């Protein structure tokens, strides 16, 4: 039992001896160095110390406040790009830091070049040089510009070169470290001071040409190119060699201008027009005595300076002309009318033939009677026989009574009276014919249309003509069978023997007829029935 107790006590003792040690906390973290300067791309390891030395957990966690500037891995810091960042080492809730500054990596200039190595300028002219530094990522691309002779050409610190006076100099660009240079040879030439023409005014005829000469000073002017122009090329044009050509009458100014446009010289050009030719609107003309017409003269060119003309007739007794070109025929014959320019150099002519005027006109009939629808042709005779114009016009005073065509054919239309007139072409002479139109028979009727007679008896028939104003009312009577009944030319019918026949009345022209049916009986008296008399069957 005693051993059991001892054994239990020993167990208790041993159990007490196996308890874990106490935890020691981190009190501080120190990073060395506390500040650090690096160049882009460089790396350096930082040292972090945890206090106390017997701290239970010394695990350190590294971080960067700006990983675009620096990164940190297990205490190794790498510079990424220029800037600053804080590197932190953390352990047990404590933190130590290092302030890191990253500076740019210095890239030295390897060369310099200019975009132009030589240039020619006029006095006062400017241009800008461009310098290119290599490599492209050189740390300092600053250049300094200088001129070997600033009196000839100066340069500012932007590379702008300004020509000052004629001569040569060199413009140089130098890198900041003075190790590299590039140059451009500058030649300054003289600017045009003035321009003058050998002629300041000139008169030309249309089509004429001459050449102007331009003189530029100073003689050593860099660019003697000139541009020629005309104020009005329709009057006078100029080519780029200074040749002036007159186009039409008028005034214009031809100007020579230096290439830079700063200097000009002019010549006043006056273009005059000469008559080139003259023409008439008619080269021959036929006139009647006393007739007039006006000739028109056309002078070319249209802008001729003097268009005055003189008119004349070779024989004014035949035809005369006034100074307006009006020609008047005097008597039969031939002459020439001429127009002459004021300088007498140009002429144009027209042959004038004067012919006789119509003296009279007569018709072959001065009166005529026609029936409706009838026609006949009038003939006009003009005197003298050599009259120039025998054309005539025919007219009717009343075309509803009788019309006339332009050949003199007259056609009767209806009863009445009118006058047909023929007139000469000039309207001066006339002749007339009185036309009387009479009515034509339209129809004929007989009364009675039936007649009964006894042998030996007589009766008168009546014929009626229409219209009432028919020109010829003459009629002819006839019997179909005169042995049965005969008729005289007054329409009296006499019965001869029994039977039937027809009595017909006909107009004088034979165009119209009318009939009466006649019956003759055997018994009855010998009385004369008179006009239209007779017996019907029921009378006996």
């Amino acid at each position: 039992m005693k051993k059991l107790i001892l054994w239990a006590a020993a167990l208790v003792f041993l159990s007490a001896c196996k308890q874990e040690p106490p935890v020691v906390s981190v009190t501080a973290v120190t990073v060395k160095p506390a500040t650090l300067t690096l160049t882009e791309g460089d790396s350096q390891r930082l040292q972090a110390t945890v206090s106390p030395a017997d701290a239970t957990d010394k695990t350190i966690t590294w971080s960067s406040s700006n990983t675009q500037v620096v990164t940190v891995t297990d205490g190794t810091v790498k510079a990424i790009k220029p800037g600053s960042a804080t590197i932190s080492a953390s352990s047990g809730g404590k933190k130590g830091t290092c302030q890191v500054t990253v500076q740019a990596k210095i890239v030295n200039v390897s060369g310099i070049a200019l975009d132009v190595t030589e240039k020619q300028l006029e006095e006062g002219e400017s241009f800008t040089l461009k310098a290119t530094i290599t490599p492209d990522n050189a740390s300092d691309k600053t250049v300094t510009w200088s001129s070997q002779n600033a009196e000839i050409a100066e340069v500012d610190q932007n590379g702008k070169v300004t020509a000052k006076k004629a001569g040569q100099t060199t413009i140089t660009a130098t890198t900041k470290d003075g190790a590299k240079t590039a140059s451009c040879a500058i030649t300054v030439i003289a600017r045009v001071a003035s321009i003058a023409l050998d002629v300041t005014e000139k008169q030309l005829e249309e089509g004429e040409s001459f050449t102007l000469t331009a003189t530029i000073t100073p003689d050593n002017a860099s660019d003697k190119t000139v541009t020629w122009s005309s104020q009005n090329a329709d009057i006078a044009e100029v080519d780029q060699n200074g040749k002036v050509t007159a186009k039409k009458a008028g005034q214009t100014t031809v100007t020579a201008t230096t290439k830079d446009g700063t200097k000009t010289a002019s010549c006043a050009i006056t273009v005059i027009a000469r008559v080139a030719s003259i023409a008439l609107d008619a080269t021959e003309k036929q006139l009647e005595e006393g007739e007039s017409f006006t000739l028109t003269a056309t002078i070319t060119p249209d802008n001729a300076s003097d268009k005055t003309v003189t008119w004349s007739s070779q024989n004014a007794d035949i035809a005369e002309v006034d100074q307006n070109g009006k020609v008047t025929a005097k008597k039969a014959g031939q002459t020439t009318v001429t127009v002459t320019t004021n300088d007498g150099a140009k002429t144009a002519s027209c042959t004038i033939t004067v012919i006789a005027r119509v003296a009279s006109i007569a018709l072959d009939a001065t009166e005529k009677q026609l029936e409706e629808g009838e026609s006949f042709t009038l003939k006009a005779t003009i005197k003298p026989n050599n009259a120039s114009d025998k054309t005539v016009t025919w007219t009717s005073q009343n075309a509803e009574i009788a019309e006339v065509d332009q050949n003199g054919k007259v056609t009767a239309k209806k009863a009445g009276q009118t006058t047909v007139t023929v007139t000469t072409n000039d309207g001066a002479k006339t002749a007339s014919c009185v036309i009387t139109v009479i009515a034509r028979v339209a129809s004929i009727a007989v009364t009675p249309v039936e007649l009964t007679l006894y042998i030996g008896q007589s009766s008168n028939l009546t014929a009626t003509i229409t219209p009432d104003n028919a020109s010829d009312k003459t009629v002819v009577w006839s019997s179909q069978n005169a042995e049965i009944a005969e008729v005289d030319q007054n329409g009296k019918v006499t019965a001869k023997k029994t039977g039937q026949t027809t009595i017909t009345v006909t107009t004088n022209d034979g165009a119209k007829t009318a009939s009466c049916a006649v019956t003759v009986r055997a018994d009855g008296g010998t009385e004369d029935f008179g006009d239209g008399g007779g017996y019907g069957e029921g009378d006996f």
Side-chain angles (χ1 to χ4, degrees):
M1 185 66 179
K2 186 177 180 180
K3 288 182 178 181
L4 183 58
I5 294 171
L6 289 173
W7 182 75
L11 288 174
V12 171
F13 177 76
L14 288 173
S15 177
C17 290
K18 288 183 178 180
Q19 290 181 350
E20 291 189 9
V23 175
V24 179
S25 299
V26 175
T27 58
V29 177
T30 304
V31 178
K32 292 184 180 180
T35 61
L36 179 63
T37 298
L38 296 175
T39 299
E40 286 177 294
D42 290 348
S43 298
Q44 185 170 324
R45 186 173 181 78
L46 298 176
Q47 183 67 43
T49 302
V50 177
S51 298
D54 60 348
T56 302
D57 187 356
K58 294 184 178 182
T59 303
I60 297 174
T61 300
W62 295 90
S63 63
S64 172
S65 66
N66 191 339
T67 57
Q68 292 184 348
V69 176
V70 291
T71 60
V72 60
T73 304
D74 294 333
T76 298
V77 177
K78 183 176 181 178
I80 304 301
K81 71 174 184 179
S84 60
T86 300
I87 300 299
S88 299
S90 300
S91 180
K94 302 298 181 180
K95 181 171 67 174
T97 62
C98 174
Q99 299 299 319
V100 180
T101 300
V102 178
Q103 61 186 11
K105 184 177 181 178
I106 297 174
V107 179
N108 293 323
V109 174
S110 62
I112 184 172
L114 295 179
D115 58 335
V116 178
T117 57
E118 57 182 27
K119 183 75 173 180
Q120 180 176 286
L121 299 174
E122 286 188 351
E123 293 170 339
E125 193 176 1
S126 296
F127 87 110
T128 299
L129 283 166
K130 180 181 178 183
T132 301
I133 300 287
T134 55
D136 187 57
N137 63 341
S139 298
D140 192 344
K141 293 185 178 183
T142 306
V143 296
T144 302
W145 297 89
S146 61
S147 172
Q148 183 185 23
N149 188 335
E151 292 183 356
I152 293 173
E154 64 184 10
V155 62
D156 66 15
Q157 292 311 305
N158 294 314
K160 181 179 179 181
V161 180
T162 302
K164 305 300 285 183
K165 71 176 184 179
Q168 283 188 328
T169 187
T170 300
I171 300 298
T172 302
T174 305
T175 58
K176 190 175 183 180
D177 60 6
K180 306 295 181 183
T181 62
S183 300
C184 176
I186 302 296
T187 300
V188 179
I189 52 181
R191 185 182 291 276
V192 173
S194 65
I195 184 173
L197 295 180
D198 58 334
V199 177
T200 57
E201 57 181 30
K202 184 75 173 179
Q203 180 174 287
L204 299 174
E205 288 185 357
E206 289 177 336
E208 192 176 0
S209 297
F210 87 109
T211 300
L212 284 165
T213 299
T215 301
I216 289 180
T217 55
D219 189 56
N220 68 339
S222 57
D223 191 346
K224 293 185 177 183
T225 306
V226 296
T227 301
W228 295 89
S229 62
S230 172
Q231 183 185 23
N232 189 334
D234 290 337
I235 293 172
E237 64 184 11
V238 61
D239 66 16
Q240 293 311 304
N241 295 314
K243 182 180 178 181
V244 181
T245 302
K247 306 298 286 182
K248 70 175 185 180
Q251 281 190 327
T252 187
T253 300
V254 169
T255 302
T257 305
T258 57
K259 190 175 183 180
D260 62 7
T262 61
K263 304 290 188 266
T264 62
S266 298
C267 176
I269 304 294
T270 300
V271 179
I272 55 176
R274 281 189 184 275
V275 175
S277 65
I278 186 171
L280 292 176
D281 58 337
T283 56
E284 56 182 30
K285 184 73 173 180
Q286 181 174 286
L287 300 174
E288 288 186 350
E289 293 170 340
E291 191 176 3
S292 296
F293 88 110
T294 299
L295 283 165
T296 299
T298 301
I299 288 181
T300 55
D302 186 58
N303 62 345
S305 52
D306 187 354
K307 291 187 176 182
T308 307
V309 295
T310 302
W311 297 88
S312 61
S313 172
Q314 183 185 21
N315 188 335
D317 290 338
I318 293 172
E320 65 183 10
V321 61
D322 66 16
Q323 292 311 304
N324 294 314
K326 182 179 179 181
V327 180
T328 303
K330 306 300 285 184
K331 70 176 183 179
Q334 199 172 63
T335 187
T336 300
V337 169
T338 301
V339 63
T340 306
T341 56
N342 201 31
D343 60 5
K346 308 294 180 183
T347 63
S349 298
C350 177
T351 300
I352 304 296
T353 301
V354 179
I355 52 179
R357 185 183 290 276
V358 173
S360 65
I361 185 171
L363 293 177
D364 57 339
T366 57
E367 57 182 29
K368 183 74 173 179
Q369 180 174 287
L370 299 174
E371 285 188 352
E372 292 172 336
E374 192 175 1
S375 297
F376 87 110
T377 301
L378 283 166
K379 180 181 178 182
T381 301
I382 289 179
K383 291 183 181 181
N385 193 50
N386 67 337
S388 58
D389 188 354
K390 292 186 176 183
T391 306
V392 295
T393 302
W394 295 87
T395 58
S396 172
Q397 183 184 22
N398 189 335
E400 293 181 357
I401 293 172
E403 64 184 10
V404 62
D405 66 16
Q406 292 310 305
N407 295 312
K409 182 180 178 180
V410 180
T411 301
K413 305 300 285 182
K414 72 176 183 180
Q417 197 171 66
T418 186
T419 300
V420 170
T421 302
V422 63
T423 305
T424 56
N425 201 30
D426 60 5
K429 307 296 181 186
T430 63
S432 300
C433 177
V434 176
I435 304 296
T436 301
V437 179
I438 53 179
R440 187 183 291 275
V441 174
S443 65
I444 186 171
V446 66
T447 305
V449 295
E450 293 182 357
L451 180 63
T452 300
L453 296 173
Y454 293 104
I455 296 172
Q457 290 181 333
S458 296
S459 180
N460 289 325
L461 297 176
T462 300
T464 303
I465 300 274
T466 55
D468 187 58
N469 65 340
S471 57
D472 187 354
K473 294 187 176 183
T474 305
V475 297
V476 177
W477 296 88
S478 62
S479 172
Q480 184 185 22
N481 191 334
E483 292 180 356
I484 294 172
E486 65 182 6
V487 62
D488 66 15
Q489 293 310 307
N490 293 313
K492 181 178 181 181
V493 180
T494 302
K496 306 295 285 182
K497 72 176 182 178
T498 59
Q500 287 184 327
T501 188
T502 300
I503 302 300
T504 302
V505 64
T506 305
T507 57
N508 198 31
D509 60 6
K512 309 295 181 183
T513 62
S515 299
C516 175
V518 176
T519 301
V520 178
R521 293 182 177 182
D523 52 350
T526 59
E527 293 91 342
D528 187 344
F529 289 95
D531 293 342
Y535 294 102
E537 293 180 353
D539 293 332
F540 296 94

